[in-house]
């Protein structure tokens, strides 16, 4: 039984041991209630809300988010998800035949597809950086990335926290080293906000796209794109709307372009101040303690599962946030009909009531477990997972 005192703040299915916050997040009930209130306000007088009120409300939400990620609110644009932000940047940039666009082999599949598509439109070349696995150190990642930079390199697309392996990459060092070489970086930061401390001012990255619905725990459909001010003139939203020819002088063109893309539900963005308050108020130390608590829980769960399964961790502790990866015995080559998932993942859910991703990595038949640690998780969740894994995998011995 889950003994976390925070479980009651979420409406998660009590029959499921939920160890997969990383995939889509989970929104606290108090925040969902705030979203319902905002939706009721919108529907009570849609014209007043969307034409007269929403701009100021979005400004306030952006200010709250800017304070959290340490960024000028005017450099932030709300988007529906991190993939939208990545596509926005890639579709705005101009390349030449022979240009090299760097991406790691850990890149999120949707982002990898986006850069492959854009490169094909311009005749550019996607260079895939194979990161070391297991990872001996953060510096090994830096060295590997930099070894692929040439005079043809125009852009690096990189995850802040990798989707398949949960690695917290040494982003600041990489961004700084590439800027010194005249190369900008586009960060897919889907998992970072709310999982690790983030200062976009200090990072100085060209483009950063992050989700608010994952570790920030906002409603689905809340994300942001941060574009460094000197690069904003070259970036346009995927939807060109009224702002393109606006005569307003009180807002930047970046603001005018992104603030209104057409009729949509803005309430996920407007809930960001509330979720920052709610989540930050769950522990005495605020968000810093929330992130530290989740990380400690993830490290303890990784250690426990590695010991139970007789495997070694695949990265040092300083590359772990609130997610951790644990090696599993090789599986087969088949995939489930359910979203193409690995069959063991479905067994864990349908036979043991445990929701946790099993990732085929780095190539079939190798596979790994990616666990998440959120406030609502308890040690009993990982104990139940270990028992289920041993029931499915049989006796375990020492594996590397």
């Amino acid at each position: 039984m889950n003994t976390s005192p925070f479980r009651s703040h979420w409406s998660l299915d009590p029959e499921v041991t939920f160890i997969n916050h990383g995939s889509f997040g989970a929104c606290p009930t108090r925040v969902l209630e705030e979203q319902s209130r905002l939706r009721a306000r919108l529907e009570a007088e849609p014209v007043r809300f969307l034409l007269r009120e929403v701009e100021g409300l979005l400004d306030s939400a952006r200010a709250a988010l800017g304070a959290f990620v340490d960024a000028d609110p005017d450099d932030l644009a709300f988007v529906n998800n991190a993939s939208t932000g990545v596509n926005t940047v890639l579709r705005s940039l101009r390349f030449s035949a022979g240009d090299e666009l760097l991406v790691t082999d850990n890149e999120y599949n949707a982002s990898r597809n986006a850069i492959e598509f854009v490169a094909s439109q311009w005749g550019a070349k996607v260079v895939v950086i194979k990161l070391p696995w297991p990872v001996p150190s953060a510096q090994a990642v830096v060295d590997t990335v930099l070894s692929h930079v040439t005079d043809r390199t125009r852009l690096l697309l990189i995850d802040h926290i990798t989707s398949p392996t949960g690695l917290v990459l040494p982003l600041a060092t990489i961004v700084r080293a590439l800027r010194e070489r005249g190369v900008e970086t586009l960060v897919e930061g889907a998992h970072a906000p709310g999982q690790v401390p983030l200062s976009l001012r200090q990072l100085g990255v060209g483009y950063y796209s992050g989700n608010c619905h994952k570790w920030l725990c906002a409603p689905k459909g809340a994300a942001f794109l941060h574009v460094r001010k000197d690069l904003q003139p070259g970036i346009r939203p995927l939807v060109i709307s009224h702002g393109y020819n606006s005569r307003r002088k009180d807002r930047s063109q970046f603001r005018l372009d992104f603030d209104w893309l057409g009729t949509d539900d803005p309430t996920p963005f407007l809930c960001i101040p509330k979720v920052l308050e709610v989540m930050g108020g769950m522990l005495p130390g605020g968000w810093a303690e929330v992130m530290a608590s989740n990380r400690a829980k993830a490290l303890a769960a990784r250690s426990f599962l590695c010991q139970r399964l007789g495997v070694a961790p695949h990265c040092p502790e300083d590359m772990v946030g609130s997610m951790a990866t644990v090696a599993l015995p090789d599986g087969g080559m088949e995939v489930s009909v359910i979203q193409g998932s690995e069959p063991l993942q479905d067994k864990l859910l349908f036979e043991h009531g445990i929701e946790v991703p099993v990732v085929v990595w780095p190539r079939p038949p190798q596979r790994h477990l990616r666990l998440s640690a959120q406030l609502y998780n308890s040690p009993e969740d990982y104990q139940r997972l270990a028992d289920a894994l041993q029931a499915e995998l049989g006796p375990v011995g020492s594996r590397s």
Side-chain angles (χ1 to χ4, degrees), residues 154-202:
R154 296 293 175 265
L155 183 75
L156 168 68
L157 168 63
I158 192 169
D159 283 0
H160 191 161
I161 301 176
T162 61
S163 177
T165 50
L167 298 172
V168 180
L169 297 182
L171 193 60
T173 304
I174 291 171
V175 169
R176 182 170 59 250
L178 262 67
R179 285 194 70 184
E180 290 172 355
R181 291 161 171 79
V183 178
E184 297 293 351
T185 302
L186 166 57
V187 177
E188 203 274 21
H191 287 279
Q195 184 175 163
V196 295
L198 178 60
S199 171
L200 291 172
R201 293 183 201 272
Q202 294 183 18

Side-chain angles (χ1 to χ4, degrees), residues 72-149:
D72 183 339
D74 279 341
D75 297 338
L76 296 169
F78 285 128
V79 292
N80 294 124
N81 52 64
S83 295
T84 300
V86 168
N87 275 267
T88 297
V89 173
L90 290 174
R91 299 298 291 274
S92 294
L93 298 179
R94 300 293 180 262
F95 301 105
S96 300
D99 284 352
E100 294 180 352
L101 313 180
L102 303 185
V103 65
T104 80
D105 60 347
N106 278 244
E107 186 57 50
Y108 184 54
N109 183 61
S111 299
R112 174 71 180 274
N113 285 341
I115 200 169
E116 292 280 2
F117 173 80
V118 167
S120 71
Q121 303 298 293
W122 293 98
K125 177 183 179 183
V126 175
V127 177
V128 180
I129 304 167
K130 184 178 180 181
L131 298 183
W133 185 261
V135 186
S137 66
Q139 187 60 46
V141 172
V142 175
D143 294 342
T144 302
V145 170
L146 296 184
S147 70
H148 287 75
V149 178

